[in-house]
Each structure stands twice: as structure tokens, then as C-alpha cells.
Coordinates of all heavy atoms in Angstrom, one line a residue:
M9 N 43.0 -6.5 -46.2 CA 42.3 -6.7 -44.9 C 43.0 -7.9 -44.2 O 43.1 -9.0 -44.8 CB 40.8 -7.0 -45.2 CG 40.1 -7.0 -43.8 SD 38.4 -7.7 -44.1 CE 37.5 -6.1 -44.3
K10 N 43.4 -7.7 -43.0 CA 44.0 -8.9 -42.2 C 42.9 -9.8 -41.8 O 41.8 -9.5 -41.6 CB 44.7 -8.3 -41.0 CG 46.0 -7.7 -41.2 CD 46.6 -7.3 -39.8 CE 47.8 -6.5 -40.0 NZ 48.2 -5.9 -38.7
S11 N 43.3 -11.1 -41.8 CA 42.4 -12.0 -41.3 C 42.2 -11.8 -39.8 O 43.1 -11.4 -39.1 CB 42.9 -13.5 -41.5 OG 44.1 -13.7 -40.7
G12 N 41.0 -12.0 -39.3 CA 40.8 -11.8 -37.9 C 40.0 -10.5 -37.6 O 39.3 -10.4 -36.7
S13 N 40.1 -9.5 -38.6 CA 39.4 -8.3 -38.3 C 37.9 -8.4 -38.4 O 37.1 -7.8 -37.7 CB 39.8 -7.2 -39.3 OG 39.6 -7.7 -40.6
F14 N 37.4 -9.4 -39.3 CA 36.0 -9.6 -39.4 C 35.4 -10.2 -38.0 O 34.4 -9.8 -37.5 CB 35.7 -10.6 -40.5 CG 34.3 -10.9 -40.6 CD1 33.3 -10.0 -41.1 CD2 33.8 -12.2 -40.3 CE1 32.0 -10.3 -41.2 CE2 32.5 -12.5 -40.4 CZ 31.6 -11.6 -40.9
R15 N 36.2 -11.1 -37.4 CA 35.8 -11.7 -36.1 C 35.6 -10.6 -35.1 O 34.7 -10.6 -34.3 CB 36.7 -12.8 -35.7 CG 36.3 -13.6 -34.5 CD 37.2 -14.7 -34.2 NE 37.3 -15.6 -35.3 CZ 38.3 -16.6 -35.5 NH1 39.2 -16.6 -34.5 NH2 38.2 -17.4 -36.5
Q16 N 36.7 -9.7 -35.0 CA 36.6 -8.6 -34.0 C 35.4 -7.8 -34.3 O 34.7 -7.4 -33.3 CB 37.9 -7.8 -34.2 CG 38.1 -6.8 -33.1 CD 39.3 -6.0 -33.3 OE1 40.2 -6.3 -34.1 NE2 39.5 -4.9 -32.5
Y17 N 35.1 -7.5 -35.5 CA 33.9 -6.7 -35.8 C 32.6 -7.4 -35.2 O 31.8 -6.8 -34.6 CB 33.7 -6.5 -37.3 CG 32.4 -5.9 -37.7 CD1 32.1 -4.6 -37.4 CD2 31.5 -6.7 -38.4 CE1 30.9 -4.1 -37.8 CE2 30.3 -6.2 -38.8 CZ 29.9 -4.9 -38.5 OH 28.8 -4.3 -38.9
R18 N 32.5 -8.7 -35.5 CA 31.4 -9.4 -35.0 C 31.2 -9.4 -33.4 O 30.1 -9.3 -32.9 CB 31.4 -10.9 -35.4 CG 31.1 -11.2 -36.8 CD 29.7 -10.9 -37.1 NE 28.8 -11.8 -36.3 CZ 28.3 -12.9 -36.7 NH1 28.5 -13.4 -37.9 NH2 27.5 -13.6 -35.9
S19 N 32.4 -9.4 -32.7 CA 32.3 -9.4 -31.3 C 31.8 -8.1 -30.7 O 31.4 -8.0 -29.6 CB 33.7 -9.7 -30.6 OG 34.5 -8.6 -30.8
E20 N 31.8 -7.0 -31.5 CA 31.3 -5.7 -31.0 C 29.8 -5.6 -31.1 O 29.2 -4.6 -30.6 CB 32.0 -4.6 -31.8 CG 33.4 -4.4 -31.3 CD 34.1 -3.5 -32.3 OE1 33.5 -3.0 -33.3 OE2 35.4 -3.4 -32.2
I21 N 29.2 -6.5 -31.9 CA 27.7 -6.5 -32.0 C 27.1 -6.9 -30.6 O 27.4 -8.0 -30.1 CB 27.2 -7.4 -33.1 CG1 27.7 -6.9 -34.5 CG2 25.7 -7.5 -33.1 CD1 27.5 -7.9 -35.6
P22 N 26.3 -6.1 -30.0 CA 25.7 -6.5 -28.7 C 24.8 -7.7 -28.8 O 24.1 -7.9 -29.8 CB 24.9 -5.3 -28.3 CG 24.7 -4.5 -29.5 CD 25.8 -4.8 -30.4
A23 N 25.0 -8.6 -27.9 CA 24.2 -9.9 -27.8 C 22.8 -9.5 -27.5 O 22.5 -8.5 -26.7 CB 24.7 -10.8 -26.8
P24 N 21.8 -10.2 -28.0 CA 20.4 -9.9 -27.6 C 20.2 -10.2 -26.2 O 20.8 -11.0 -25.6 CB 19.6 -10.9 -28.5 CG 20.5 -11.9 -28.9 CD 21.9 -11.3 -29.0
E25 N 19.3 -9.4 -25.5 CA 19.1 -9.6 -24.1 C 18.5 -11.0 -23.8 O 17.5 -11.4 -24.4 CB 18.0 -8.6 -23.6 CG 18.6 -7.2 -23.2 CD 17.6 -6.2 -22.8 OE1 16.4 -6.6 -22.7 OE2 17.9 -5.0 -22.7
P26 N 19.1 -11.7 -22.8 CA 18.5 -13.0 -22.4 C 17.2 -12.8 -21.7 O 17.0 -11.7 -21.1 CB 19.6 -13.6 -21.5 CG 20.6 -12.6 -21.3 CD 20.4 -11.4 -22.2
A27 N 16.3 -13.7 -21.9 CA 15.0 -13.6 -21.2 C 15.1 -13.4 -19.7 O 14.2 -12.8 -19.1 CB 14.1 -14.8 -21.5
A28 N 16.1 -13.9 -19.1 CA 16.3 -13.9 -17.6 C 16.4 -12.5 -17.0 O 16.1 -12.2 -15.9 CB 17.5 -14.7 -17.2
V29 N 16.9 -11.5 -17.8 CA 17.0 -10.1 -17.3 C 15.8 -9.3 -17.7 O 15.8 -8.1 -17.5 CB 18.3 -9.5 -17.8 CG1 19.5 -10.3 -17.4 CG2 18.3 -9.2 -19.3
R30 N 14.7 -9.9 -18.1 CA 13.5 -9.2 -18.3 C 12.4 -9.8 -17.4 O 12.4 -10.9 -17.1 CB 13.1 -9.4 -19.8 CG 14.0 -8.8 -20.8 CD 13.8 -9.2 -22.2 NE 12.7 -8.4 -22.8 CZ 12.8 -7.2 -23.4 NH1 14.1 -6.8 -23.5 NH2 11.9 -6.6 -23.9
S31 N 11.5 -8.9 -17.0 CA 10.4 -9.4 -16.2 C 9.2 -8.6 -16.6 O 9.3 -7.5 -17.1 CB 10.7 -9.3 -14.7 OG 10.7 -8.0 -14.3
S32 N 8.0 -9.2 -16.3 CA 6.8 -8.6 -16.8 C 6.4 -7.5 -15.8 O 6.5 -7.6 -14.6 CB 5.7 -9.6 -17.0 OG 5.3 -10.1 -15.8
C33 N 5.8 -6.4 -16.3 CA 5.3 -5.2 -15.6 C 4.1 -5.7 -14.7 O 3.3 -6.5 -15.1 CB 4.9 -4.2 -16.6 SG 4.0 -2.8 -15.8
S34 N 4.1 -5.2 -13.4 CA 3.0 -5.6 -12.6 C 1.7 -4.9 -13.0 O 0.6 -5.1 -12.4 CB 3.4 -5.3 -11.1 OG 3.7 -3.9 -10.9
W35 N 1.8 -3.9 -13.8 CA 0.6 -3.2 -14.3 C 0.1 -3.8 -15.6 O -1.1 -4.0 -15.7 CB 1.0 -1.7 -14.5 CG 1.3 -1.0 -13.2 CD1 2.6 -1.0 -12.6 CD2 0.5 -0.2 -12.4 NE1 2.5 -0.2 -11.5 CE2 1.3 0.2 -11.4 CE3 -0.9 0.2 -12.5 CZ2 0.7 1.1 -10.4 CZ3 -1.4 1.0 -11.5 CH2 -0.6 1.5 -10.5
C36 N 0.9 -3.9 -16.6 CA 0.4 -4.3 -17.9 C 1.0 -5.5 -18.5 O 0.7 -5.9 -19.5 CB 0.6 -3.1 -18.9 SG 2.3 -2.8 -19.3
H37 N 2.0 -6.1 -17.7 CA 2.6 -7.4 -18.1 C 3.5 -7.2 -19.3 O 3.9 -8.2 -19.8 CB 1.6 -8.5 -18.3 CG 0.7 -8.7 -17.1 ND1 1.2 -9.2 -15.9 CD2 -0.6 -8.5 -16.9 CE1 0.2 -9.2 -15.0 NE2 -0.9 -8.8 -15.6
E38 N 3.8 -6.0 -19.7 CA 4.9 -5.8 -20.7 C 6.2 -6.3 -20.1 O 6.5 -6.1 -19.0 CB 4.9 -4.3 -21.0 CG 6.0 -3.9 -21.9 CD 5.7 -4.1 -23.4 OE1 4.6 -4.5 -23.7 OE2 6.6 -3.9 -24.2
L39 N 7.0 -6.9 -21.0 CA 8.3 -7.4 -20.5 C 9.3 -6.2 -20.6 O 9.4 -5.6 -21.6 CB 8.8 -8.5 -21.5 CG 8.2 -9.9 -21.1 CD1 8.7 -11.0 -22.1 CD2 8.6 -10.4 -19.7
N40 N 9.9 -5.9 -19.5 CA 10.9 -4.9 -19.4 C 12.2 -5.4 -18.9 O 12.2 -6.3 -18.1 CB 10.4 -3.8 -18.5 CG 9.2 -3.0 -19.0 OD1 9.4 -2.1 -19.8 ND2 8.0 -3.4 -18.6
A41 N 13.3 -4.8 -19.3 CA 14.6 -5.2 -18.8 C 14.6 -4.8 -17.3 O 14.0 -3.8 -16.9 CB 15.7 -4.4 -19.4
V42 N 15.2 -5.7 -16.5 CA 15.1 -5.6 -15.1 C 15.8 -4.3 -14.6 O 15.3 -3.7 -13.6 CB 15.8 -6.9 -14.4 CG1 16.2 -6.6 -12.9 CG2 15.0 -8.1 -14.5
G43 N 16.8 -3.8 -15.3 CA 17.4 -2.6 -14.9 C 16.6 -1.3 -15.1 O 16.9 -0.2 -14.7
R44 N 15.5 -1.5 -15.9 CA 14.7 -0.3 -16.3 C 13.8 0.0 -15.1 O 13.1 -0.8 -14.5 CB 13.9 -0.8 -17.5 CG 13.1 0.4 -18.2 CD 12.2 -0.1 -19.2 NE 11.6 1.1 -19.8 CZ 12.1 1.7 -20.9 NH1 13.1 1.2 -21.6 NH2 11.5 2.8 -21.4
R45 N 13.7 1.3 -14.8 CA 12.9 1.7 -13.6 C 11.4 1.8 -14.0 O 10.6 1.3 -13.2 CB 13.4 3.1 -13.2 CG 12.8 3.5 -11.8 CD 13.4 4.7 -11.3 NE 12.7 5.1 -10.1 CZ 12.7 6.3 -9.5 NH1 13.4 7.3 -10.1 NH2 12.1 6.6 -8.4
F46 N 11.1 2.4 -15.1 CA 9.7 2.5 -15.5 C 9.4 1.7 -16.7 O 10.1 1.6 -17.6 CB 9.4 4.0 -15.7 CG 9.6 4.9 -14.5 CD1 10.4 5.9 -14.6 CD2 8.9 4.6 -13.3 CE1 10.6 6.7 -13.5 CE2 9.0 5.4 -12.2 CZ 9.9 6.5 -12.3
C47 N 8.2 1.2 -16.8 CA 7.7 0.4 -17.8 C 7.7 1.1 -19.1 O 7.2 2.3 -19.2 CB 6.3 -0.2 -17.5 SG 5.6 -1.1 -18.9
A48 N 8.2 0.5 -20.2 CA 8.2 1.2 -21.5 C 6.8 1.3 -22.0 O 6.5 2.2 -22.8 CB 9.1 0.3 -22.5
A49 N 5.9 0.5 -21.6 CA 4.5 0.5 -22.2 C 3.6 1.4 -21.5 O 2.9 2.2 -22.1 CB 3.9 -0.9 -22.3
C50 N 3.6 1.4 -20.1 CA 2.6 2.1 -19.3 C 3.2 3.2 -18.5 O 2.4 4.1 -18.0 CB 1.8 1.1 -18.5 SG 2.7 0.4 -17.1
G51 N 4.5 3.2 -18.3 CA 5.1 4.3 -17.5 C 5.1 4.1 -16.0 O 5.7 4.9 -15.3
H52 N 4.5 3.1 -15.5 CA 4.5 2.8 -14.1 C 5.8 2.2 -13.7 O 6.5 1.7 -14.6 CB 3.3 1.9 -13.6 CG 2.0 2.6 -13.7 ND1 1.6 3.5 -12.8 CD2 1.0 2.4 -14.6 CE1 0.4 3.9 -13.2 NE2 0.0 3.3 -14.2
S53 N 6.1 2.1 -12.4 CA 7.3 1.3 -12.0 C 7.2 -0.1 -12.4 O 6.2 -0.8 -12.0 CB 7.5 1.4 -10.4 OG 7.8 2.7 -10.1
A54 N 8.1 -0.6 -13.2 CA 7.9 -1.9 -13.9 C 8.0 -3.1 -12.9 O 7.5 -4.1 -13.1 CB 8.8 -2.0 -15.1
H55 N 8.9 -2.9 -11.9 CA 9.2 -4.1 -11.0 C 8.8 -3.8 -9.6 O 9.3 -4.5 -8.7 CB 10.8 -4.3 -11.1 CG 11.2 -4.3 -12.6 ND1 10.7 -5.3 -13.5 CD2 12.0 -3.5 -13.2 CE1 11.3 -5.1 -14.6 NE2 12.1 -4.0 -14.5
L56 N 7.9 -2.9 -9.3 CA 7.4 -2.7 -7.9 C 5.9 -3.1 -7.9 O 5.2 -3.0 -8.9 CB 7.6 -1.2 -7.5 CG 9.0 -0.7 -7.3 CD1 8.9 0.8 -7.1 CD2 9.7 -1.4 -6.2
P57 N 5.5 -3.5 -6.7 CA 4.1 -3.8 -6.6 C 3.3 -2.5 -6.8 O 3.8 -1.4 -6.6 CB 3.9 -4.2 -5.2 CG 5.2 -4.6 -4.7 CD 6.2 -3.8 -5.5
R58 N 2.0 -2.5 -7.3 CA 1.3 -1.3 -7.6 C 1.2 -0.3 -6.5 O 1.3 0.9 -6.7 CB -0.1 -1.7 -8.1 CG -0.1 -2.5 -9.4 CD -1.6 -2.6 -9.8 NE -1.6 -3.4 -11.1 CZ -2.6 -3.3 -12.0 NH1 -3.7 -2.6 -11.7 NH2 -2.6 -3.9 -13.1
L59 N 1.1 -0.8 -5.3 CA 0.9 0.1 -4.1 C 2.2 0.9 -3.9 O 2.2 1.9 -3.3 CB 0.6 -0.7 -2.9 CG -0.8 -1.1 -2.7 CD1 -1.0 -2.0 -1.4 CD2 -1.7 0.2 -2.5
H60 N 3.4 0.4 -4.4 CA 4.6 1.1 -4.1 C 5.2 1.7 -5.4 O 6.4 2.0 -5.5 CB 5.7 0.1 -3.5 CG 5.2 -0.5 -2.3 ND1 5.1 0.2 -1.1 CD2 4.8 -1.8 -2.1 CE1 4.7 -0.6 -0.2 NE2 4.5 -1.8 -0.7
C61 N 4.3 1.9 -6.4 CA 4.7 2.5 -7.7 C 5.4 3.9 -7.4 O 4.8 4.7 -6.7 CB 3.6 2.6 -8.6 SG 4.1 3.2 -10.3
E62 N 6.5 4.1 -8.1 CA 7.2 5.4 -7.9 C 7.1 6.3 -9.1 O 7.8 7.3 -9.2 CB 8.7 5.1 -7.7 CG 9.0 4.5 -6.3 CD 10.4 4.1 -6.1 OE1 11.1 4.1 -7.1 OE2 10.8 3.8 -5.0
C63 N 6.2 6.0 -10.0 CA 6.0 6.9 -11.2 C 5.4 8.2 -10.8 O 4.6 8.2 -9.8 CB 5.2 6.2 -12.3 SG 3.5 6.4 -12.1
P64 N 5.6 9.3 -11.5 CA 5.0 10.6 -11.1 C 3.5 10.6 -10.9 O 3.0 11.2 -10.0 CB 5.5 11.6 -12.2 CG 6.7 10.9 -12.8 CD 6.5 9.4 -12.7
D65 N 2.8 9.9 -11.8 CA 1.3 9.8 -11.7 C 0.9 9.2 -10.4 O 0.0 9.7 -9.7 CB 0.8 9.0 -12.8 CG 0.7 9.8 -14.1 OD1 1.0 11.0 -14.1 OD2 0.3 9.3 -15.2
C66 N 1.5 8.1 -10.0 CA 1.0 7.4 -8.8 C 1.4 8.2 -7.5 O 0.7 8.3 -6.6 CB 1.6 6.0 -8.7 SG 0.8 4.9 -9.9
Q67 N 2.7 8.8 -7.6 CA 3.1 9.6 -6.4 C 2.2 10.8 -6.3 O 1.8 11.2 -5.1 CB 4.5 10.0 -6.6 CG 5.5 8.9 -6.5 CD 6.9 9.4 -6.2 OE1 7.3 10.5 -6.5 NE2 7.6 8.6 -5.5
H68 N 1.8 11.4 -7.4 CA 0.9 12.6 -7.3 C -0.5 12.1 -6.8 O -1.1 12.8 -5.9 CB 0.7 13.1 -8.7 CG -0.2 14.4 -8.8 ND1 0.2 15.5 -8.2 CD2 -1.4 14.6 -9.4 CE1 -0.8 16.4 -8.3 NE2 -1.7 15.9 -9.1
G69 N -0.9 11.0 -7.3 CA -2.3 10.4 -6.8 C -2.2 10.2 -5.3 O -3.2 10.5 -4.7
R70 N -1.2 9.5 -4.8 CA -1.1 9.2 -3.4 C -1.0 10.5 -2.6 O -1.6 10.6 -1.5 CB 0.2 8.3 -3.1 CG -0.1 6.8 -3.3 CD 0.9 6.0 -2.6 NE 2.2 6.2 -3.1 CZ 2.7 5.4 -4.1 NH1 1.9 4.5 -4.6 NH2 3.9 5.6 -4.6
R71 N -0.3 11.5 -3.0 CA -0.3 12.8 -2.3 C -1.7 13.4 -2.2 O -2.0 13.9 -1.2 CB 0.7 13.7 -3.1 CG 0.9 15.0 -2.4 CD 2.0 14.9 -1.4 NE 2.1 16.2 -0.6 CZ 1.8 16.2 0.7 NH1 1.4 15.2 1.3 NH2 1.9 17.3 1.4
L72 N -2.4 13.3 -3.3 CA -3.8 13.9 -3.3 C -4.7 13.1 -2.3 O -5.4 13.8 -1.6 CB -4.5 13.8 -4.7 CG -3.9 14.8 -5.7 CD1 -4.6 14.6 -7.0 CD2 -4.0 16.2 -5.2
V73 N -4.4 11.8 -2.2 CA -5.2 11.0 -1.2 C -4.8 11.4 0.2 O -5.7 11.6 1.1 CB -5.0 9.5 -1.4 CG1 -5.5 8.7 -0.3 CG2 -5.6 9.0 -2.7
E74 N -3.5 11.7 0.5 CA -3.1 12.1 1.8 C -3.7 13.4 2.1 O -4.2 13.7 3.3 CB -1.5 12.2 1.8 CG -0.8 10.9 1.9 CD 0.7 11.1 1.7 OE1 1.2 12.2 1.9 OE2 1.4 10.1 1.4
I75 N -3.7 14.4 1.2 CA -4.3 15.7 1.4 C -5.8 15.5 1.7 O -6.3 16.2 2.6 CB -4.0 16.6 0.2 CG1 -2.5 17.0 0.1 CG2 -4.9 17.9 0.3 CD1 -2.1 17.7 -1.1
G76 N -6.4 14.6 0.9 CA -7.8 14.4 1.2 C -8.1 13.9 2.6 O -9.1 14.4 3.2
H77 N -7.3 13.0 3.0 CA -7.5 12.5 4.4 C -7.2 13.6 5.4 O -8.0 13.7 6.4 CB -6.5 11.4 4.7 CG -6.9 10.1 4.0 ND1 -6.0 9.1 3.8 CD2 -8.0 9.7 3.4 CE1 -6.6 8.1 3.1 NE2 -7.8 8.5 2.9
A78 N -6.3 14.5 5.2 CA -6.0 15.6 6.1 C -7.2 16.6 6.1 O -7.5 17.0 7.2 CB -4.7 16.3 5.7
I79 N -7.7 16.8 4.9 CA -8.9 17.7 4.9 C -10.1 17.1 5.6 O -10.8 17.8 6.4 CB -9.3 18.0 3.4 CG1 -8.1 18.9 2.8 CG2 -10.6 18.7 3.3 CD1 -8.3 19.2 1.3
D80 N -10.3 15.8 5.5 CA -11.4 15.1 6.2 C -11.2 15.3 7.7 O -12.2 15.5 8.4 CB -11.4 13.6 5.8 CG -12.0 13.4 4.4 OD1 -12.5 14.4 3.8 OD2 -11.8 12.3 3.9
A81 N -10.0 15.1 8.2 CA -9.7 15.2 9.6 C -10.0 16.6 10.1 O -10.6 16.9 11.2 CB -8.3 14.8 9.9
L82 N -9.6 17.6 9.3 CA -9.8 19.0 9.7 C -11.3 19.3 9.7 O -11.8 20.0 10.6 CB -9.1 20.0 8.7 CG -7.6 20.1 9.0 CD1 -7.0 20.9 7.8 CD2 -7.3 20.8 10.2
Q83 N -12.0 18.8 8.7 CA -13.4 19.0 8.5 C -14.2 18.4 9.7 O -15.1 19.1 10.3 CB -13.9 18.4 7.3 CG -15.4 18.7 7.0 CD -15.6 20.2 6.6 OE1 -14.9 20.7 5.7 NE2 -16.5 20.9 7.3
A84 N -13.7 17.3 10.2 CA -14.4 16.6 11.4 C -14.2 17.5 12.6 O -15.0 17.7 13.4 CB -13.8 15.3 11.6
Q85 N -12.9 18.1 12.8 CA -12.6 18.9 13.9 C -13.5 20.2 13.9 O -14.0 20.6 14.9 CB -11.2 19.3 14.0 CG -10.3 18.2 14.4 CD -8.8 18.6 14.5 OE1 -8.5 19.8 14.7 NE2 -7.9 17.7 14.4
L86 N -13.6 20.7 12.6 CA -14.4 21.9 12.4 C -15.9 21.7 12.8 O -16.5 22.5 13.5 CB -14.3 22.4 11.0 CG -14.9 23.8 10.6 CD1 -14.3 24.9 11.5 CD2 -14.7 24.1 9.1
D87 N -16.4 20.5 12.3 CA -17.8 20.2 12.6 C -18.0 20.0 14.1 O -19.0 20.6 14.7 CB -18.2 18.8 11.9 CG -18.3 19.0 10.4 OD1 -18.3 20.2 9.9 OD2 -18.3 17.9 9.7
A88 N -17.1 19.4 14.8 CA -17.2 19.2 16.3 C -17.2 20.6 17.0 O -17.9 20.8 17.9 CB -16.0 18.4 16.8
Y89 N -16.3 21.5 16.5 CA -16.1 22.8 17.1 C -17.5 23.6 16.9 O -18.0 24.2 17.8 CB -15.0 23.6 16.4 CG -14.9 25.0 16.7 CD1 -14.5 25.4 17.9 CD2 -15.2 26.0 15.7 CE1 -14.3 26.8 18.2 CE2 -15.1 27.3 16.0 CZ -14.7 27.7 17.3 OH -14.5 29.1 17.6
R90 N -18.0 23.5 15.6 CA -19.3 24.3 15.4 C -20.4 23.7 16.2 O -21.3 24.4 16.8 CB -19.7 24.2 13.9 CG -18.8 25.1 13.1 CD -19.1 24.9 11.6 NE -18.5 25.9 10.8 CZ -18.2 25.8 9.5 NH1 -18.6 24.6 8.9 NH2 -17.6 26.7 8.8
E91 N -20.4 22.4 16.4 CA -21.5 21.7 17.2 C -21.4 22.1 18.6 O -22.4 22.4 19.2 CB -21.3 20.2 17.0 CG -22.4 19.4 17.7 CD -23.8 19.5 17.1 OE1 -23.8 19.9 15.8 OE2 -24.8 19.4 17.8
A92 N -20.2 22.2 19.1 CA -20.0 22.6 20.5 C -20.4 24.1 20.7 O -21.0 24.4 21.8 CB -18.5 22.5 20.9
R93 N -20.2 25.0 19.7 CA -20.6 26.4 19.9 C -22.1 26.5 19.8 O -22.7 27.5 20.4 CB -19.9 27.2 18.8 CG -18.5 27.5 19.1 CD -17.9 28.5 18.1 NE -18.8 29.6 17.9 CZ -18.4 30.8 17.5 NH1 -17.1 31.0 17.3 NH2 -19.2 31.8 17.3
R94 N -22.7 25.6 19.0 CA -24.2 25.8 18.8 C -25.0 25.4 20.1 O -26.1 25.8 20.3 CB -24.6 24.8 17.7 CG -25.9 25.3 17.0 CD -26.3 24.3 15.9 NE -25.3 24.4 14.8 CZ -24.8 23.4 14.1 NH1 -25.3 22.2 14.3 NH2 -23.9 23.6 13.1
R95 N -24.4 24.6 20.9 CA -25.1 24.1 22.1 C -25.2 25.2 23.1 O -24.3 26.0 23.3 CB -24.4 23.0 22.8 CG -24.5 21.6 22.1 CD -24.1 20.5 23.0 NE -23.8 19.3 22.2 CZ -22.6 18.8 22.0 NH1 -21.6 19.4 22.6 NH2 -22.5 17.8 21.3
P96 N -26.3 25.4 23.7 CA -26.5 26.4 24.8 C -25.6 26.1 26.0 O -25.4 24.9 26.3 CB -28.0 26.3 25.2 CG -28.5 25.0 24.7 CD -27.6 24.6 23.5
Q97 N -25.0 27.2 26.5 CA -24.1 26.9 27.7 C -24.8 26.5 28.9 O -25.8 27.1 29.3 CB -23.4 28.3 28.0 CG -22.5 28.8 26.8 CD -21.3 27.9 26.7 OE1 -20.6 27.5 27.6 NE2 -20.8 27.7 25.4
Ligands
LIG16 ZN1 3.6 -1.6 -17.7
LIG17 ZN1 2.5 4.4 -11.4

């Protein structure tokens, strides 16, 4: 074995992640690598505010809220229409 090969082997071992490239999840405070999109612990967007979470669960939830608001608006129009028809001309 040539001298120097051991040192080369050592340099291929990945260095442990420095603390600076990890930040805590805004949902569960789990530390995640900054490059990671979703939290390893809870699955939400690890580095976005909760309101802007891009995980499938939150996007689905927000879509349901939007549909709920649209249905409320239609229901209000329908109520107004029925009320107008009920009144004597
Ligand atoms: Zn989390
Ligand atoms: Zn989420």
C-alpha cells in the first residue's frame, strides 16, 4: 500500500452538516437541512411560514377552504333569488 492512500480515503468521508445549514421547522421545530423542501418530521414545508406551506395536505386544505367560500357566495345569491321570487309582484 502506498503512503497517502489512507489520507485520500479519509477525504472522501462526507463532513457532518454544520449547524448553519439547518433551521428549525416552523411547524414542529425539527431541525432540517436548509435545502430540504419538506420537514422530515411533520411533512410540512420546513422553511416557509405556515400560511404559505406547500405540502400536499395544506394545499388540499386551502383548496377546500376556497371551494367553501365559493359555495357560500353561491348560496347567498340563491337565497337572494328565492327571496325575490317569494315576494308578491
Ligand atoms: Zn416539521
Ligand atoms: Zn403543510
Side-chain angles (χ1 to χ4, degrees):
M9 188 192 266
K10 279 183 191 170
S11 66
S13 59
F14 178 69
R15 187 176 299 165
Q16 190 182 347
Y17 169 70
R18 282 292 301 262
S19 72
E20 286 165 6
I21 298 174
E25 273 175 13
V29 299
R30 296 168 81 86
S31 72
S32 66
C33 173
S34 57
W35 294 82
C36 70
H37 304 293
E38 173 83 5
L39 282 175
N40 289 279
V42 165
R44 190 185 182 96
R45 190 173 177 200
F46 298 121
C47 174
C50 69
H52 290 288
S53 291
H55 311 297
L56 290 175
R58 291 189 180 203
L59 277 175
H60 301 291
C61 185
E62 290 176 344
C63 85
D65 277 359
C66 287
Q67 290 202 330
H68 183 63
R70 274 200 293 273
R71 184 84 188 113
L72 289 182
V73 169
E74 283 172 19
I75 291 171
H77 288 162
I79 290 173
D80 286 350
L82 283 172
Q83 188 67 54
Q85 286 185 24
L86 188 60
D87 289 348
Y89 171 73
R90 284 177 173 156
E91 185 65 28
R93 282 188 46 152
R94 199 178 297 142
R95 281 196 202 110
Q97 296 288 323

